[in-house]
Structure formats: structure tokens, C-alpha cells
Amino acid sequence: MSNSDDHSAAARRRDVRIAKGYSLEDLAVATGLTVAEITAAEEPKGSTPKRHVARIENVLGLS
């Protein structure tokens, strides 16, 4: 994935989370991840494990 794709995917996760009314804390509870892990997944330069991204995207309906 290119840097542009990473940025787009991170921004999309954040935008969908907000559109669905999830706070960072709500998504943390739903995914079993920490707020810091979710924040990292929403930052374009974050190095988030694929398993964390998959959990977030599953809850948000992106997978």
C-alpha cells in the first residue's frame, strides 16, 4: 500500500467511525483494543498491526 493509500484508509476508518456515532472509547470497547491503538489506526503514519485494523474494520462494517 502506498503512503497515499495508507492515508486514505486511515481517514476512511476515522470518517466511518464518526459517521456511525462511535467515540474512540466506544470503538475501543467494541473491538477490545485500546483508545491508543484505535488512534494509531486512524493516523496515516501509524504502524498498526493488520489484526487490529481487521477488528476495527469489522466493527465498522468495512470488511
Side-chain angles (χ1 to χ4, degrees), residues 17 23-29 31-43 56:
R17 173 182 60 79
S23 68
L24 288 168
E25 293 80 7
D26 293 335
L27 191 55
V29 170
T31 60
L33 300 173
T34 66
V35 168
E37 290 167 330
I38 292 168
T39 300
E42 293 183 353
E43 293 176 358
I56 292 166

Side-chain angles (χ1 to χ4, degrees), residues 37-61:
E37 290 167 330
I38 292 168
T39 300
E42 293 183 353
E43 293 176 358
K45 294 185 180 186
S47 59
T48 306
K50 290 183 189 266
R51 68 183 184 276
H52 290 183
V53 171
R55 288 165 78 172
I56 292 166
E57 291 184 352
N58 183 51
V59 169
L60 295 176

